[in-house]
Amino acid sequence: MRLRDCHNFHDFRRLARRRLPGPIFDYIDGAADDEVTHRRNTASFERCDLVPNVLRGVENIDMSVTVLGQKLAMPIYCSPTALQRLFHHTGERAVAAAAAKYGTMFGVSSLGTVSLEELRKAHDTPQVYQFYYHRDRSLNRAMMQRAKEAGVQVMMLTVDSITGGNRERDKRTGFSIPFRLTLAGMYQFGIKPAWGINYLTHERFKLPQLDQHVDMGSGALSISKYFTEMLDPSMNWDDVAEMVRLWNGQFCLKGVMSVADARRAVEIGCTGIVLSNHGGRQLDGSRAPFDQLAEIVDAVGDRIDVIMDGGIQRGTHVLKALSLGAKAVGVGRYYLYPLAAAGQAGVERALDLMRSELERGMKLMGCTAINQLSRENLRFR
């Protein structure tokens, strides 16, 4: 199987599985507990049908949107995700370059493996910094100031990860940073030597957003342990309001799922919210973002940019979310599998396929611009 044989999300996933050691693939692929919410995120789109219009003159299609003050050529962006250079040695560099080529936004995580500054200098495309709130308040202020000085346009605070989710796949393999693998995990690395060669022959793995503040090299600090020990579970709305004032720009909360929280985000001055359950990786059994979208848009959509992130695998999923009122959608696994499979070329192919699906879908829906999509285009079973 080669990259040219990949025509959809599932093809990229299969190719990534062939190329990655099991523990790393499972880190991308897995979710919390029984992974019910992870599966529901995509399944939620299946109870919603599109109702197309015809004879609308759809020769020219405009897929551009403005979200969080940023003009995007298409209504999806690459959500910030952690540890990307574990999946492919080019990591965030590949994702940023692909996003720039397709005129969309990309995110960098606090647990990113390439620095904010390098990516900001390399690409003019809008950049999001995904921020975790640490127990050390001076660290929080320092990280925000660094992002401001780097020229990052959007601050995105993740609010659904005050403690680590129960990711049992990682426990079985011993996935951690640095690696402390079980025997089963070591075997999986042994049968995928190409990954190890690439890992060892490129620059040393590091977390440049954190390496001046957090020692992840002395002992096995697992991802779950980072969430549990470094992040501040006492974070509250007053803390976030202070961050919004300090940032004084586009500020988005990622992980909002209730109407009450959406309204509170408006009250403290946020400019956007991302409906997300962290890809099903935190609270298993929680509701899918698509299922919450309509009521949150109805409550606050005229006062704040509402974005949806979770379960997107097809262009038609994007069209359904936009029809319900989302300003844009974020994707994570959708680009991580192709990144793992083929680096920048993989991410570019995934974004190109999505762009084609969106353009074709809009033509078949009888829409020439995103603002023509509405709930009149939808029926729920």
Side-chain angles (χ1 to χ4, degrees):
M1 187 179 189
R2 301 178 183 179
L3 181 62
R4 67 188 181 195
D5 300 318
C6 294
H7 301 288
N8 59 41
F9 173 89
H10 302 288
D11 292 338
F12 289 121
R13 181 179 179 273
R14 281 191 289 270
L15 186 55
R17 187 167 204 162
R18 293 185 182 189
R19 297 191 174 181
L20 286 177
I24 295 181
F25 175 81
D26 281 336
Y27 174 74
I28 300 174
D29 197 61
D33 293 346
D34 298 313
E35 304 188 355
V36 172
T37 292
H38 173 33
R39 295 189 294 273
R40 188 181 295 156
N41 281 352
T42 298
S44 64
F45 292 99
E46 295 177 6
R47 68 182 187 88
C48 177
D49 297 325
L50 293 166
V51 181
N53 292 307
V54 297
L55 301 176
R56 298 301 175 96
V58 291
E59 182 179 5
N60 298 309
I61 301 295
D62 179 9
M63 293 187 290
S64 65
V65 295
T66 299
V67 61
L68 297 170
Q70 315 306 312
K71 181 72 176 289
L72 310 183
M74 57 181 179
I76 75 159
Y77 67 94
C78 296
S79 294
T81 57
L83 310 179
Q84 290 182 18
R85 287 189 56 244
L86 280 185
F87 317 141
H88 190 277
H89 64 86
T90 54
E92 289 89 348
R93 297 182 181 106
V95 177
K101 179 176 179 178
Y102 286 88
T104 193
M105 188 164 64
F106 72 97
V108 181
S109 171
S110 294
L111 290 168
T113 55
V114 178
S115 75
L116 294 167
E117 292 84 357
E118 177 185 336
L119 296 169
R120 189 71 245 135
K121 291 175 182 176
H123 304 287
D124 291 333
T125 192
Q127 181 173 324
V128 170
Y129 180 39
Q130 180 260 337
F131 189 84
Y132 288 118
Y133 196 82
H134 296 84
R135 295 175 188 266
D136 183 345
R137 304 301 173 90
S138 62
L139 170 58
N140 293 329
R141 290 190 293 271
M143 293 174 74
M144 286 183 63
Q145 183 60 32
R146 177 176 176 178
K148 180 72 75 173
E149 292 174 356
V152 170
Q153 291 96 334
V154 180
M155 178 63 67
M156 183 177 286
L157 176 66
T158 295
V159 292
D160 61 357
S161 301
I162 56 172
T163 189
N166 181 35
R167 302 173 192 178
E168 293 175 359
R169 292 204 217 182
D170 295 345
K171 291 180 177 180
R172 292 190 182 96
T173 62
F175 182 87
S176 61
I177 304 298
F179 298 126
R180 175 175 284 175
L181 298 171
T182 63
L183 287 175
M186 287 187 282
Y187 172 76
Q188 289 295 319
F189 277 87
I191 63 176
K192 300 288 178 68
W195 179 92
I197 292 170
N198 276 330
Y199 182 78
L200 293 172
T201 56
H202 290 88
E203 67 184 282
R204 182 179 63 86
F205 181 87
K206 59 182 180 178
L207 301 173
Q209 274 65 255
L210 291 175
D211 57 8
Q212 296 180 14
H213 309 284
V214 180
D215 182 6
M216 290 198 172
S218 56
L221 181 57
S222 69
I223 302 305
S224 177
K225 188 177 180 182
Y226 169 80
F227 284 124
T228 303
E229 296 189 1
M230 298 298 300
L231 304 189
D232 190 353
S234 71
M235 177 177 63
N236 58 42
W237 285 103
D238 291 337
D239 296 322
V240 178
E242 181 183 10
M243 288 186 66
V244 172
R245 290 192 296 270
L246 287 172
W247 180 252
N248 191 29
Q250 296 290 337
F251 196 104
C252 184
L253 296 188
K254 181 175 183 289
V256 171
M257 287 291 286
S258 73
V259 168
D261 286 347
R263 287 175 172 153
R264 192 68 184 274
V266 173
E267 290 171 2
I268 66 170
C270 294
T271 57
I273 53 174
V274 180
L275 277 59
S276 170
N277 55 36
H278 218 92
R281 297 160 72 83
Q282 289 297 99
L283 179 64
D284 198 28
S286 63
R287 195 158 163 83
F290 183 69
D291 289 336
Q292 283 295 92
L293 182 56
E295 63 183 87
I296 290 179
V297 167
D298 288 345
V300 300
D302 59 340
R303 293 178 287 164
I304 196 170
D305 285 351
V306 178
I307 304 164
M308 201 214 84
D309 186 326
I312 297 290
Q313 297 180 4
R314 285 287 191 184
T316 49
H317 295 162
V318 178
L319 295 180
K320 290 175 182 180
L322 297 174
S323 296
L324 278 184
K327 290 291 183 69
V329 302
V331 292
R333 291 180 179 96
Y334 182 85
Y335 75 83
L336 287 178
Y337 292 128
L339 171 67
Q344 183 178 335
V347 182
E348 288 183 2
R349 181 163 176 81
L351 292 178
D352 190 63
L353 288 171
M354 177 60 77
R355 183 175 66 178
S356 296
E357 288 189 12
L358 285 170
E359 182 175 359
R360 181 171 54 250
M362 288 184 65
K363 287 181 177 180
L364 292 172
M365 287 293 293
C367 296
T368 59
I370 297 297
N371 61 12
Q372 294 174 9
L373 294 166
S374 74
R375 297 183 193 182
E376 294 180 3
N377 304 130
L378 304 179
R379 296 293 184 276
F380 286 84
R381 298 178 188 176

